Amino acid sequence: MGSLFGEKARLKREAVSSTSVDRESQQTLLRIRSFYLLAGLAGGMFNPYMSTMLVHGGLGSTQVGLLMSIGTFISILIQPFWGLVVDRFQQMRLVLMLSVAVPALLSVFYQSPYFIVLTIIYTISMVFTATQAPMADSYALVAAQKANTTYGAIRFLGSLGTAAGSYLGGLYVSRIDISLIWIPFLVFNLLAAVLTLTLPSRSDESRVLQQSLSTGIRSLLGNRLFLCFLGGCLLVNQTLTAFNSYFVLSFEEAGGTLEMAGIGLFIASAANIPAMLLAARVIARYGHERMLLIAAFAYILRWGIQYLFPVPWVMIAVQLLHGLSFGFFYISAVEYVSRIASRHMQATAQSIFNMVFVGLAGIAGNLLNGYLLEAGGAAAMNLSCIISAVLGAVLLGYVASRSRDREQTPMIG
């Protein structure tokens, strides 16, 4: 009889513990979704208009491209340092908070007319911003697993925030002053920074960050298929800077207004929402490699239409392809890296992917597209994007032909 009561007591304790863990995981899920939303609002209102703000402040688009490339390059070099901080001191929450708080506070100085000052401010901001995606994604992946949902179902809140921010940004700069676009960026990022204080001090998966970066790089460099994948990602995603950094400038060149540009940016970000919600189902049917290839062709179509029909209403309508191109591409790429890397290589593989997909692609794209936009206009920039996306699709086609999207022994690690 005593043992029966003891068993019942044990089951009751386990049920209470399970309920507590479930409630905690749901709260973490809500907080990380809210973080994505606030960070998306901040970035959506500021990032697309930053290059226009700087050009209106007296810089040329080539200078803007150089400024952004320097900041991105330095941020790549500093990423291993952030990994060391997280590994040694287990400060994921602090690093995530700094990733939004520091750029927010420094945005006040974007009113400076001096190129060197702007370059320093942007570089420092990028050093901190570069840690945002890896840290937030680490929380999101763990929260998704615990709450029995998908990464895309969490990450889409970032796209929702970006969509709303892009539209609101267009209204803001058309009615107030583009030189003051840093104010909402400051407010939303500081709210996101406060929200990070309610997150767990570290993600449960932070232990996977302990794999040596140098060991991981050696392993990656020995895998030809993964290098082809990275090369394809670089060639395809560098074209995205033509949208992220220079869409507003090229839209003005075509005769569009800043308010109309906000509508185009809103459509692009909104198109990401269904893409990210449906990504898991579509990838399950077609596989990661094929989805990457389909998304690459969507990029080709996207730039091809803008090259052939450089008029404002077409440039707005074509942003419907943003979800099929960037949305599907990003989700497929992140999950592809996760699938082919062994457990102890997860963070290293994702870090290398992030350095190439965001870092090197950002440097190449901002330099090349900034120069082409100033030297040959939007037509030269869009033609270059078509060629680059085609070359990227060729590499990804090779990856797809050599791979089978199914459960398999990890290629890396």
Side-chain angles (χ1 to χ4, degrees):
M1 181 67 70
S3 96
L4 179 60
F5 281 120
E7 181 65 17
K8 286 183 177 180
R10 183 184 66 80
L11 292 174
K12 184 177 181 179
R13 285 195 302 271
E14 288 181 356
V16 171
S17 176
S18 176
T19 302
S20 176
V21 170
D22 182 69
R23 187 183 300 114
E24 182 180 347
S25 66
Q26 290 296 330
Q27 290 175 347
T28 301
L29 184 64
L30 176 62
R31 290 163 184 166
I32 194 63
R33 279 176 165 164
S34 299
F35 176 86
Y36 275 118
L37 180 63
L38 289 170
L41 282 167
M45 290 197 73
F46 183 74
N47 294 337
Y49 302 98
M50 180 182 172
S51 58
T52 307
M53 175 188 70
L54 296 176
V55 169
H56 283 218
L59 299 186
S61 58
T62 300
Q63 285 182 300
V64 173
L66 178 61
L67 177 152
M68 292 181 172
S69 297
I70 292 173
T72 305
F73 177 71
I74 299 298
S75 72
I76 292 176
L77 297 181
I78 208 70
Q79 280 197 36
F81 165 77
W82 287 121
L84 178 63
V85 170
V86 173
D87 292 347
R88 188 181 183 105
F89 302 105
Q90 298 297 310
Q91 292 294 330
M92 288 191 66
R93 182 173 60 189
L94 175 61
V95 172
L96 183 60
M97 181 186 69
L98 292 175
S99 75
V100 287
V102 173
L105 296 173
L106 289 178
S107 64
V108 177
F109 298 98
Y110 280 119
Q111 298 179 90
S112 172
Y114 302 107
F115 176 76
I116 185 64
V117 173
L118 293 170
T119 301
I120 292 173
I121 295 304
Y122 183 77
T123 298
I124 296 174
S125 296
M126 282 300 299
V127 164
F128 285 89
T129 300
T131 67
Q132 182 179 316
M135 296 300 103
D137 287 350
S138 180
Y139 277 111
L141 289 167
V142 174
Q145 183 179 16
K146 287 186 174 181
N148 195 29
T149 186
T150 64
Y151 166 71
I154 300 175
R155 178 61 178 79
F156 91 94
L157 264 298
S159 295
L160 180 62
T162 303
S166 299
Y167 178 69
L168 293 173
L171 295 178
Y172 185 93
V173 299
S174 63
R175 286 167 169 74
I176 301 179
D177 189 339
I178 196 168
S179 66
L180 300 177
I181 193 64
W182 59 270
I183 295 177
F185 177 75
L186 171 69
V187 173
F188 284 121
N189 264 341
L190 288 181
L191 289 175
V194 172
L195 184 63
T196 60
L197 298 176
T198 66
L199 291 170
S201 60
R202 64 188 182 92
S203 166
D204 291 351
E205 295 301 315
S206 62
R207 61 183 178 274
V208 304
L209 296 173
Q210 295 174 1
Q211 172 70 20
S212 165
L213 185 65
S214 60
T215 301
I217 291 176
R218 285 196 297 270
S219 177
L220 291 169
L221 291 178
N223 190 288
R224 185 174 62 181
L225 199 61
F226 189 71
L227 290 178
C228 288
F229 161 76
L230 291 178
C233 289
L234 173 64
L235 288 167
V236 171
N237 200 57
Q238 74 87 11
T239 71
L240 193 62
T241 59
F243 172 74
N244 289 338
S245 301
Y246 303 115
F247 172 74
V248 177
L249 287 173
S250 61
F251 191 75
E252 284 186 307
E253 179 185 306
T257 65
L258 288 174
E259 186 171 353
M260 290 175 64
I263 295 174
L265 293 165
F266 169 79
I267 291 173
S269 298
N272 260 338
I273 297 172
M276 291 190 171
L277 289 174
L278 295 173
R281 185 179 304 175
V282 177
I283 290 171
R285 179 172 181 178
Y286 294 103
H288 294 94
E289 293 91 340
R290 289 178 182 174
M291 276 310 304
L292 287 169
L293 195 56
I294 291 171
F297 279 112
Y299 271 111
I300 297 171
L301 180 62
R302 180 178 181 176
W303 303 124
I305 291 174
Q306 290 185 96
Y307 175 73
L308 294 172
F309 306 101
V311 294
W313 71 267
V314 174
M315 294 176 70
I316 290 177
V318 80
Q319 303 313 321
L320 289 169
L321 290 172
H322 188 69
L324 182 58
S325 52
F326 173 75
F328 276 157
F329 196 100
Y330 182 72
I331 296 293
S332 299
V334 169
E335 293 189 358
Y336 173 78
V337 173
S338 179
R339 182 177 62 81
I340 65 172
S342 62
R343 181 173 177 80
H344 72 281
M345 286 287 292
Q346 286 289 318
T348 301
Q350 292 289 355
S351 294
I352 298 300
F353 164 70
N354 191 65
M355 288 180 187
V356 173
F357 188 77
V358 178
L360 294 180
I363 292 172
N366 280 317
L367 283 174
L368 176 62
N369 292 319
Y371 169 76
L372 290 174
L373 181 61
E374 187 167 345
M381 181 179 71
N382 289 328
L383 179 59
S384 172
C385 288
I386 295 171
I387 296 171
S388 184
V390 168
L391 294 175
V394 170
L395 283 177
L396 293 171
Y398 172 76
V399 172
S401 69
R402 295 292 304 273
S403 302
R404 293 294 180 268
D405 205 50
R406 62 175 186 267
E407 290 296 325
Q408 59 179 342
T409 303
M411 295 194 313
I412 303 172

